[in-house]
Amino acid sequence: MLTRKQIQLLEFIQKRVARDGVPPSFDEMKIALDLRSKSGIHRLVTALEERGFIRRLPHRARALEIIRLPDALARGEEGTGEGAGGFQPRVISNDRPAPPPRPRGAMPIVDSPAVELPVMGRIAAGVPIEAISEISHHIAVPGSMLSGRDHHYALEVRGDSMIEAGINDGDVVVIREQDTADNGDIVVALIEGAEATLKRYRRRGGMIALEAANPAYGTKVLSEDKIRIQGRLVGLIRSY
């Protein structure tokens, strides 16, 4: 299963190769997919290569080769990529009976198409751990957790410093990639370029406070130049 962004990139590469005979540059891919940095393109290209859709050829400029296409692109279906109004899955109806009514007061069930996100490793909800940069695997998340054309990724939580915010050790958090935050946001913060942690963000004048949601942990206050925001929490997945 490919994510919407992966399909858009694959279709863009396919069209440019058909038109020009060479793949687009990473800058052209970044502009076409409306991403803020080329690092997002590198992650998408790596994901497509791992799934066997493209191949990178060594020692050559713009060295991308399409090996195969997903069924939708191979059939020439529209609406999957460049210029489309967003990825729309095909819906197949069946004759399943209607589900029984839910008990009064039960939580609503959200039926939303799943999207695969890269799990970029582990994030500390406790003492900061090493910065996260490698994809360990992928996980399917409800599309309703994601917002528009923004890039998202997932992280496995280690530690209990955010338990009073409902985030437990072993949970998977869904993060929207961004480099700014508002007071009260729960963010992925990179500390001094070396350690990453999941905390609540507060600005105090020229200082940034990273607050835990567990009284056993103190608040870390650092100057603004020592912290880089890497994303904001938008969803959580828990296995029982």
Side-chain angles (χ1 to χ4, degrees), residues 2-127:
L2 295 181
T3 67
R4 178 179 56 193
K5 285 292 188 185
Q6 290 164 1
I7 291 176
Q8 288 175 340
L9 179 60
L10 190 58
E11 184 177 17
F12 179 65
I13 294 171
Q14 178 201 25
K15 288 182 177 180
R16 289 297 297 270
V17 170
R19 190 189 76 182
D20 302 336
V22 295
S25 68
F26 275 47
D27 280 321
E28 290 169 332
M29 296 181 204
K30 176 174 71 74
I31 293 170
L33 271 68
D34 194 27
L35 297 180
R36 292 187 295 272
S37 70
K38 286 191 287 187
S39 63
I41 294 297
H42 281 281
R43 285 194 288 268
L44 292 172
V45 168
T46 297
L48 289 172
E49 186 177 29
E50 289 174 346
R51 286 162 174 73
F53 288 96
I54 65 174
R55 177 168 54 203
R56 282 187 271 204
L57 306 176
H59 313 304
R60 289 175 54 185
R62 300 192 181 191
L64 294 178
E65 178 185 14
I66 294 179
I67 299 174
R68 65 187 180 96
L69 295 172
D71 291 342
L73 290 183
R75 290 192 299 266
E77 293 181 5
E78 298 180 355
T80 56
E82 183 183 11
F87 175 73
Q88 294 293 330
R90 291 183 300 134
V91 178
I92 301 174
S93 60
N94 57 31
D95 295 326
R96 288 183 300 174
R102 291 182 293 110
R104 185 174 182 180
M107 293 181 64
I109 298 173
V110 178
D111 185 11
S112 177
V115 177
E116 274 199 358
L117 290 184
V119 179
M120 302 298 293
R122 294 175 176 176
I123 182 71
V127 178

Side-chain angles (χ1 to χ4, degrees), residues 5 38 59 85 92 107 110 128 136-137 163 175 191-192 212 221:
K5 285 292 188 185
K38 286 191 287 187
H59 313 304
I92 301 174
M107 293 181 64
V110 178
S136 61
H137 60 282
I163 56 173
I175 305 296
I191 300 173
E192 297 184 307
V221 181

Side-chain angles (χ1 to χ4, degrees), residues 112-191:
S112 177
V115 177
E116 274 199 358
L117 290 184
V119 179
M120 302 298 293
R122 294 175 176 176
I123 182 71
V127 178
I129 56 177
E130 288 185 5
I132 296 155
S133 61
E134 299 296 330
I135 297 174
S136 61
H137 60 282
H138 286 74
I139 189 170
V141 305
S144 58
M145 281 189 182
L146 312 182
S147 52
R149 296 169 60 89
D150 295 323
H151 185 261
H152 298 75
Y153 58 94
L155 295 167
E156 296 178 355
V157 174
R158 287 293 175 266
D160 61 356
S161 73
M162 299 302 290
I163 56 173
E164 292 188 3
I167 303 170
N168 297 337
D169 181 53
D171 287 346
V172 173
V173 288
V174 178
I175 305 296
R176 183 174 70 189
E177 188 175 322
Q178 60 186 66
D179 56 11
T180 61
D182 296 325
N183 280 336
D185 286 347
I186 296 175
V187 301
V188 174
L190 185 65
I191 300 173

